[in-house]
Amino acid sequence: MVDRPILEFTPRDIALLRPANETERLAALRDLNILDTAPETQFDAICRTAQVLFDTPIALVSLLDEDRQWFKARCGLNDDGTSRDVAFCNHTILADEVLVVEDAGEDARFGMNPLVTGEPRIRFYAGAPLILRSGIRVGSLCIIDTKPRRFSTEQANQLRDLAEVVTANLRVYQDRSEHRRVAATLEDTDDALRDANTRYASLADALPQMVWTVSPEKRVTAYRNASFRTYYGETERSGGRTHSRNHPGDVERMSSAWEAAVSSKQAFELEGRLRRHDGDYRWHRIVMIPLQRSGEVIEWLGTALDIDHIIAAQNALKATGDLLRLAQEAAEAGIWEWDMRDDVVRLSPMSARMHNLPLPVGRDAMEIPLADWKAQVHPDDLPGVWDEVKRAIADRSTYSCEFRIANPAVPAEPRWMQSFGRMLDDETGEPARCVGLQIDITDRKVSEARIAHVASHDNLTDLPNRAVFHATLEKCLADIGNAPAALLCLDLDRFKTVNDTLGHHAGDGLLRVVADRLRESIGNDGVIARLGGDEFAIILPGTRLEDAQAFARTVIDAIGQPIHLGSQVVTIGASVGIAHAPEHGLEVDLLHRHADLALYRAKAAGRNSFQVYTKGMDEALEDRNKLEFDMHLAHRKGEFRLNYQPIVGLADGQIRGFEALMRWPHPTRGMVSPAEFIPIAEETGLVVPLGAWALEEACRFAASWPIQARIAVNVSAVQFQRPGLEAAVANALAVSGLAADRLELEITESLMIQDGDAVIACLHRLRSIGVRIALDDFGTGYSSLSYLRRFPFDKIKIDRSFVREIDDLDAQAIVRAVVSIGERLGTAITAEGVETEDQLALVTQTGCTEVQGFLFGKPMTPEQALAFMREQSPRKAA
């Protein structure tokens, strides 16, 4: 399988992920009135349940607002939300199904997500959407782990069931909102009817203030307008004493004012907090006016205007002022003033410390000449600073600039300052002073440099990345003039084997060793970049072609040295393609393409070598692309055919089955070898539909045989990597009516190392329905007896290379060992490629149970195979 670089999704890419009904979805979310509400036991309990049920460190109830992700409930995470552009749940709400990311580090959507590369270092994620109604997904119930992990369909269903419980609780909020709206509508209708009773009531109900009347003796409320009833609630009875509605902190003050007003029969006005029907207190401006008749107060008319927002604004303004002062202190900002008339700079204590100047004892500021201030600015920065100052003086405006000053603690690393200033004129309109603020931005500058480095370098090898490679090569070609340049594209041989057998950690270590060896080999003569996976590129400015070839040999020799990875020692190789400018192109993409073509040719030539681009390589690539096109066309037209080669039992010479072999009779090329078209089919994925067709065709043909023999079908590793293999097998059996135990699937050893656990699990499922499993070409790949122990194969097929050398004692010993293992495990042993009587005799002596090869029959058309079966006279062992 060919490694492919992971695509990088930017925050902008992810920010564009929005459901088509986003406006409706947000409206539904906000109608719930749940955002930023306090924790609730039912949501917290669901989170804890999910955390325990799935054994994950983190479980969240996440709601997706327009620009943020807010957690209504969370376990294992301190933050109450994130920005929406990094939220995994932003993907979850795009569909009704559970979203499962088994390894975020290897997922194109999330590999560069800051929640993956940084805290909390998400590697596994599963999220079930919270579906308020059809198409309206307001958030998700999700679980998170810091390690990659598998997630079964059953687990996904369990997570979806828990999400339904969350949704049910959300619908309670939905019902509450609807009830409030209905209640408000009914209340407005009732108020409108009552307002029609009298002109006075209509006027009073239209006022924003609460209006009521109070009897002077009993001090109970009589009339209450709509605002009053709304604030205190319709259910409150008349007769409540006025001070019972006051804030406990205001009761004494308001009671005193009321008693004084009653005694003096004078109106009064004050500010106080009144308790609303829901228990909340809000500030009001309260006015009480006595209504008199014949000099006696018969009633008190009260009004209360809600001024809570005004009080809140005043408090906020005060808090903002305090915050600004504290922020200035926390940011360690220094204040300075430059008197232009005498060129003296006055520094606050913080500014003095920034400039490494000791503040005199007892002084709250210090003065230094402008020349001394300039002397502390880095000489490379001073011209830019002074140009900005002169511009601000001319424009009578503000300025901002950044500059470096000396750092006595680390002289080689000066500190960075950012200075803001404003010019002030004197009474004549001439510039006289400049006042400003200065802050230390050294940490920010260091972070910016680090970010710039990360953005331009591969985080594993610290080599320049693809973007830097492209820009460097573009500049090199633009400046080429009369000096040549070379581009080397390099790909590691056998890297995938190390990565698959020893793990990704070992693969990462190997890539770091390769990067170091490339640096040592190239030195300062060129630029090395990692383009992705195990692909590297080297730009060699001013290098002749013969020198580039010498560099390639050096690189191949360096990489070919043994590499120690912990307790393991591995040896890999390198294939190198060389393109030379100007003769091979002066455009980045063209030169890179030519170097890639040369690399492709080097790998095809046996690897661990280099090739220089030639024009014929374009033609070879075009021929390969034409063959790929013809393959897709042949698949649509049904031009592929199956031939069948018999498999014979050594004990009785009877036919045990046939192996289905794919053939392609090309209309112009003639018969195309499987060795030529199968690799292209696997690379393009066409092997999946071709494989499904082969399964169905072979099973249909086998169902028509006059004998109860088995049909063997080869299955590619690509078919295991893509979904649908098990469904294809089941469909082929169902359509043909063939018994499952007559179908035999042949797999190769190389498949087992790619994802052994997943492959073995799939094989067990296929075995459970009766299908037989054979291990093909045993001994040619990455043979491991552990595979035979972990999965009981029905058959082991010994590769034809052993049969061809069967007269060699070592080859015989190996075959006998495999036969012995097969006998112990109850596994049939088939010898492939038997072509001579001598080979037949020897494989018989070693104990093989079945044979296959030209001696017994070449691959046959379906008609020939049927005739062969009817004859039932295969060649028997001597």
Side-chain angles (χ1 to χ4, degrees):
M1 183 179 68
V2 178
D3 282 352
R4 295 180 174 86
I6 296 176
L7 299 175
E8 296 180 2
F9 282 68
T10 65
R12 170 177 169 78
D13 294 329
I14 296 176
L16 294 176
L17 293 173
R18 292 290 190 271
N21 61 345
E22 179 70 357
T23 302
E24 183 183 0
R25 191 191 71 82
L26 288 173
L29 173 63
R30 289 164 185 167
D31 281 347
L32 295 177
N33 291 319
I34 193 173
L35 292 176
D36 299 313
T37 57
E40 296 181 60
T41 56
Q42 66 270 30
F43 292 102
D44 292 341
I46 294 171
C47 259
R48 290 191 300 270
T49 300
Q51 187 182 37
V52 173
L53 178 61
F54 300 104
D55 191 25
T56 58
I58 300 173
L60 306 169
V61 175
S62 166
L63 300 177
L64 271 294
D65 202 354
E66 183 175 8
D67 294 312
R68 63 168 177 158
Q69 172 183 222
W70 178 72
F71 304 139
K72 173 60 182 173
R74 59 187 187 272
C75 293
L77 198 64
N78 294 327
D79 297 329
D80 62 358
T82 71
S83 62
R84 182 172 173 179
D85 58 3
V86 300
F88 280 52
C89 295
N90 195 33
H91 295 259
T92 304
I93 65 170
L94 296 178
D96 290 344
E97 300 300 321
V98 175
L99 173 63
V100 178
V101 181
E102 295 184 342
D103 189 348
E106 297 297 328
D107 194 291
R109 300 164 293 180
F110 308 107
M112 296 305 294
N113 191 301
L115 301 180
V116 177
T117 60
E119 293 299 325
R121 302 196 178 279
I122 298 173
R123 291 301 300 274
F124 166 81
Y125 167 91
L130 304 179
I131 307 172
L132 206 58
R133 59 179 183 273
S134 178
I136 302 300
R137 297 176 285 273
V138 297
S140 71
L141 172 65
C142 63
I143 55 175
I144 293 170
D145 203 341
T146 56
K147 304 185 297 294
R149 58 188 290 174
R150 310 291 290 180
F151 201 67
S152 68
T153 301
E154 180 182 359
Q155 290 175 309
N157 291 335
Q158 292 171 344
L159 184 62
R160 184 185 293 107
D161 291 342
L162 282 178
E164 285 295 333
V165 178
V166 177
T167 304
N169 281 277
L170 291 178
R171 291 197 180 102
V172 173
Y173 273 86
Q174 189 177 28
D175 293 341
R176 290 176 186 169
S177 297
E178 186 62 26
H179 291 162
R180 282 195 294 270
R181 283 194 291 271
V182 171
T185 301
L186 293 175
E187 185 173 292
D188 290 342
T189 302
D190 292 340
D191 289 347
L193 291 174
R194 284 191 294 273
D195 289 347
N197 290 337
T198 63
R199 184 179 305 169
Y200 172 79
S202 297
L203 177 62
D205 284 349
L207 294 174
Q209 299 98 321
M210 291 189 287
V211 179
W212 70 95
T213 59
V214 180
S215 62
E217 292 84 14
K218 296 183 179 179
R219 302 182 185 180
V220 296
T221 58
Y223 172 76
R224 298 172 294 176
N225 75 337
S227 296
F228 186 103
R229 295 190 299 273
T230 299
Y231 193 80
Y232 287 113
E234 294 290 347
T235 58
E236 182 172 337
R237 297 177 302 164
S238 299
R241 299 185 65 81
T242 56
H243 64 76
S244 66
R245 303 187 184 105
N246 300 336
H247 190 279
D250 299 337
V251 168
E252 184 176 353
R253 175 172 58 86
M254 296 177 75
S255 296
S256 298
W258 169 254
E259 297 296 341
V262 170
S263 298
S264 63
K265 300 180 182 179
Q266 298 293 319
F268 73 91
E269 179 178 346
L270 53 73
E271 295 177 356
R273 289 162 288 183
L274 301 179
R275 180 172 55 82
R276 197 165 55 188
H277 64 84
D278 59 2
D280 188 25
Y281 286 93
R282 294 182 62 85
W283 282 94
H284 287 75
R285 184 176 299 280
I286 303 167
V287 178
M288 297 296 296
I289 303 174
L291 302 179
Q292 300 185 15
R293 181 184 299 164
S294 302
E296 295 296 324
V297 176
I298 59 172
E299 203 170 37
W300 287 83
L301 175 66
T303 66
L305 179 65
D306 191 322
I307 60 169
D308 197 77
H309 61 289
I310 297 175
I311 299 297
Q314 291 173 344
N315 292 336
L317 182 62
K318 180 179 182 301
T320 300
D322 294 341
L323 182 62
L324 288 174
R325 176 179 57 80
L326 292 172
Q328 178 180 330
E329 295 176 0
E332 298 183 344
I335 300 172
W336 54 265
E337 178 185 11
W338 169 33
D339 190 330
M340 291 189 250
R341 290 165 296 193
D342 56 10
D343 272 348
V344 170
V345 179
R346 297 180 180 86
L347 304 174
S348 71
M350 182 59 68
S351 285
R353 284 196 294 272
M354 288 179 180
H355 285 273
N356 309 308
L357 299 173
L359 189 70
V361 177
R363 298 283 299 276
D364 58 0
M366 73 176 302
E367 296 181 354
I368 60 171
L370 178 63
D372 290 352
W373 183 90
K374 285 184 177 182
Q376 292 200 330
V377 179
H378 194 286
D380 292 343
D381 300 339
L382 185 59
V385 172
W386 208 241
D387 287 344
E388 183 68 9
V389 170
K390 288 187 288 187
R391 181 202 58 76
I393 293 174
D395 297 343
R396 303 294 198 276
S397 62
T398 61
Y399 81 88
S400 173
C401 61
E402 297 176 358
F403 55 87
R404 289 165 289 177
I405 64 173
N407 182 3
V410 188
E413 299 177 6
R415 297 204 310 272
W416 277 93
M417 301 292 156
Q418 184 169 21
S419 182
F420 307 90
R422 182 173 186 82
M423 301 301 167
L424 301 176
D425 294 343
D426 60 13
E427 60 276 3
T428 66
E430 293 296 320
R433 292 186 304 140
C434 182
V435 296
L437 197 67
Q438 180 172 298
I439 58 176
D440 190 320
I441 59 170
T442 303
D443 290 343
R444 193 196 82 192
K445 284 292 187 178
V446 171
S447 296
E448 288 175 352
R450 185 181 300 112
I451 291 170
H453 183 84
V454 169
S456 60
H457 287 71
D458 170 50
N459 62 353
L460 179 64
T461 63
D462 203 38
L463 290 174
N465 59 19
R466 183 180 289 272
V468 175
F469 158 75
H470 192 281
T472 303
L473 184 57
E474 187 172 48
K475 184 178 185 303
C476 178
L477 296 179
D479 299 342
I480 198 167
N482 294 323
L487 172 62
L488 279 61
C489 283
L490 181 148
D491 194 71
L492 302 182
D493 301 332
R494 297 183 297 279
F495 168 74
K496 188 177 186 304
T497 301
V498 174
N499 205 43
D500 289 339
T501 56
L502 301 183
H504 292 291
H505 180 73
D508 289 347
L510 186 148
L511 290 173
R512 283 191 285 267
V513 171
V514 168
D516 291 339
R517 293 184 179 180
L518 288 175
R519 291 188 187 97
E520 293 173 3
S521 300
I522 302 302
N524 297 322
D525 294 324
V527 176
I528 310 166
R530 182 188 178 205
L531 304 185
D534 61 339
E535 183 183 356
F536 298 83
I538 303 170
I539 303 170
L540 299 171
T543 302
R544 298 176 305 168
L545 180 56
E546 52 268 31
D547 294 331
Q549 292 173 297
F551 270 117
R553 293 188 190 96
T554 301
V555 165
I556 291 172
D557 290 343
I559 293 177
Q561 299 303 310
I563 297 174
H564 293 266
L565 300 174
S567 60
Q568 299 284 339
V569 178
V570 299
T571 302
I572 63 170
S575 298
V576 179
I578 303 174
H580 197 251
E583 61 265 34
H584 296 157
L586 283 173
E587 297 178 359
V588 171
D589 292 340
L590 181 62
L591 196 67
H592 191 191
R593 178 173 177 271
H594 288 165
D596 268 342
L597 284 172
L599 172 61
Y600 180 80
R601 180 61 61 87
K603 293 170 70 174
R607 303 176 182 268
N608 211 34
S609 63
F610 70 86
Q611 290 284 327
V612 179
Y613 168 76
T614 61
K615 290 184 179 179
M617 293 179 181
D618 286 308
E619 296 174 1
L621 180 62
E622 289 177 5
D623 185 66
R624 184 261 182 214
N625 291 339
K626 178 64 168 60
L627 189 63
E628 179 185 338
F629 176 81
D630 288 349
M631 284 182 62
H632 285 279
L633 189 62
H635 173 56
R636 290 198 297 270
K637 290 183 176 181
E639 293 179 354
F640 287 95
R641 297 287 181 267
L642 290 182
N643 281 3
Y644 301 88
Q645 186 174 30
I647 302 169
V648 176
L650 279 174
D652 55 9
Q654 295 299 306
I655 297 173
R656 294 287 185 265
F658 285 83
E659 179 180 358
L661 301 168
M662 192 173 295
R663 296 293 184 262
W664 180 18
H666 193 281
T668 59
R669 295 173 184 256
M671 192 65 71
V672 182
S673 168
E676 188 174 358
F677 71 79
I678 291 296
I680 297 177
E682 290 182 326
E683 181 181 340
T684 61
L686 184 60
V687 74
V688 175
L690 278 177
W693 167 80
L695 275 168
E696 186 173 335
E697 182 71 13
C699 289
R700 183 183 288 111
F701 178 52
S704 68
W705 293 350
I707 60 175
Q708 293 296 307
R710 298 188 183 91
I711 181 70
V713 182
N714 290 281
V715 181
S716 165
V718 177
Q719 291 174 265
F720 275 88
Q721 295 162 5
R722 307 286 180 87
L725 173 61
E726 295 173 58
V729 171
N731 178 69
L733 293 173
V735 169
S736 65
L738 184 72
D741 62 357
R742 290 185 60 199
L743 174 61
E744 193 167 79
L745 300 182
E746 295 189 1
I747 67 169
T748 60
E749 295 174 72
S750 59
L751 170 65
M752 303 296 290
I753 70 166
Q754 295 180 12
D755 191 354
D757 291 338
V759 170
I760 288 175
C762 179
L763 294 178
H764 276 296
R765 290 193 294 272
L766 290 170
R767 169 73 77 73
S768 69
I769 65 174
V771 175
R772 290 168 56 88
I773 309 297
L775 184 59
D776 195 15
D777 297 338
F778 185 78
T780 62
Y782 308 93
S783 301
S784 173
L785 297 181
S786 65
Y787 301 140
L788 303 181
R789 180 177 56 81
R790 295 175 65 192
F791 184 81
F793 290 95
D794 298 289
K795 179 188 292 185
I796 297 174
K797 300 187 74 175
I798 298 175
D799 185 68
R800 65 184 65 248
S801 62
F802 287 95
V803 175
R804 188 166 52 248
E805 305 292 335
I806 195 66
D807 55 346
D808 180 79
L809 295 179
D810 290 338
Q812 291 180 30
I814 293 173
V815 173
R816 286 194 181 96
V818 176
V819 169
S820 176
I821 293 172
E823 290 176 347
R824 185 173 184 83
L825 298 177
T827 303
I829 306 296
T830 300
E832 294 184 289
V834 177
E835 299 180 358
T836 68
E837 295 287 353
D838 290 341
Q839 290 173 347
L840 176 61
L842 289 172
V843 297
T844 302
Q845 292 173 14
T846 57
C848 293
T849 57
E850 296 176 350
V851 288
Q852 179 180 353
F854 286 1
L855 186 61
F856 294 87
K858 295 183 179 180
M860 310 170 185
T861 65
E863 295 77 14
Q864 293 169 335
L866 284 172
F868 187 85
M869 283 183 269
R870 293 190 184 102
E871 293 173 4
Q872 274 291 300
S873 58
R875 191 179 181 90
K876 296 185 179 181

